[in-house]
Amino acid sequence: QKEVEQDPGPLSVPEGAIVSLNCTYSNSAFQYFMWYRQYSRKGPELLMYTYSSGNKEDGRFTAQVDKSSKYISLFIRDSQPSDSATYLCAMIYPSGYSTLTFGKGTMLLVSP
Amino acid sequence: TAGITQAPTSQILAAGRSMTLRCTQDMRHNAMYWYRQDLGLGLRLIHYSNTAGTTGKGEVPDGYSVSRANTDDFPLTLASAVPSQTSVYFCASSPGVVNTEAFFGQGTRLTVV
């Protein structure tokens, strides 16, 4: 079992829909949780990160972490065609130098 | 600000040949990474460097080597390329000890034939 599981999709939604993207993980040592967005033929870019449990909001994006369930979510409100991309979750331990563990990514397609 | 620059953008390489993928960052970040991204497998860490002069192995290091002579440069070398090394390679960097924010380059598309 991979440490981080993410449904590859594609997830297709109409413009204006609320999108929910999710990851599960197995290692309870993870403390920081990130969401990256990757457009086709581009490198990933950081959308937002949260520390430990709780919610974090940034514009149309909300990241949610439930450490008790080992489950993280990214919600996109009022989705736009420009949101069409692959979304990768990532997580990291807080101890010393540690490297990101990525999910495989979910492809999102928002149709006009 | 350029951020991270990777070269070349794409390359077709004959099996058995060697190649160095270049990566330069201008953000003075301590940590740098090389990932490969393959369909269905996601991003996998090849090698990393926490500071200049140190390197470490990631999840899939075999067939690759790196060096970190200074803060800005982190080249990845394939000594004798094989078709299974066909992939998109991303270089990344991050500033701190807990590397929550990694900045990625645009990638190098490598095809080994």
Side-chain angles (χ1 to χ4, degrees):
Chain A
Q1 181 191 9
K2 288 278 286 183
E3 281 193 295
V4 180
E5 299 282 354
Q6 187 175 11
D7 188 322
L11 176 62
S12 296
V13 301
E15 183 176 355
I18 297 174
V19 175
S20 172
L21 303 164
N22 311 294
C23 287
T24 59
Y25 63 96
S26 58
N27 191 336
S28 58
F30 288 131
Q31 293 283 350
Y32 292 86
F33 304 90
M34 280 70 69
W35 285 95
Y36 283 80
R37 177 175 61 194
Q38 185 177 20
Y39 291 114
S40 180
R41 303 182 78 86
K42 300 289 187 182
E45 57 178 341
L46 181 68
L47 266 179
M48 54 200 306
Y49 80 87
T50 54
Y51 172 70
S52 195
S53 286
N55 292 1
K56 185 173 183 178
E57 189 173 319
D58 184 0
R60 296 184 296 110
F61 299 88
T62 300
Q64 192 172 80
V65 175
D66 181 350
K67 292 194 69 183
S68 63
S69 302
K70 296 190 181 68
Y71 189 88
I72 69 171
S73 300
L74 177 71
F75 298 97
I76 307 174
R77 292 183 299 280
D78 188 23
S79 56
Q80 303 295 308
S82 58
D83 295 327
S84 297
T86 296
Y87 290 81
L88 302 103
C89 64
M91 33 202 89
I92 197 169
Y93 323 126
S95 59
Y97 287 107
S98 52
T99 57
L100 290 166
T101 300
F102 281 90
K104 293 180 182 179
T106 299
M107 181 183 291
L108 172 66
L109 302 171
V110 182
S111 56
Chain B
T1 302
I4 293 192
T5 302
Q6 290 185 238
T9 303
S10 64
Q11 183 75 45
I12 298 174
L13 184 67
R17 300 295 294 270
S18 67
M19 180 176 181
T20 295
L21 281 61
R22 300 185 299 279
C23 176
T24 299
Q25 54 115 349
D26 63 2
M27 297 174 283
R28 308 300 293 171
H29 286 170
N30 284 321
M32 296 187 75
Y33 314 88
W34 275 105
Y35 291 89
R36 59 178 290 175
Q37 188 174 39
D38 303 284
L39 194 64
L41 297 176
L43 279 163
R44 293 182 292 168
L45 183 66
I46 304 171
H47 284 287
Y48 64 92
S49 169
N50 289 325
T51 59
T54 70
T55 62
K57 294 181 180 180
E59 181 183 356
V60 289
D62 293 343
Y64 306 95
S65 63
V66 292
S67 62
R68 187 87 184 276
N70 57 60
T71 298
D72 299 342
D73 301 300
F74 191 43
L76 176 74
T77 297
L78 288 68
S80 180
V82 295
S84 62
Q85 292 177 310
T86 294
S87 187
V88 182
Y89 291 86
F90 288 102
C91 179
S93 72
S94 58
V97 173
V98 181
N99 298 314
T100 54
E101 186 171 12
F103 293 81
F104 283 80
Q106 293 303 290
T108 293
R109 292 183 169 273
L110 179 65
T111 302
V112 182
V113 298

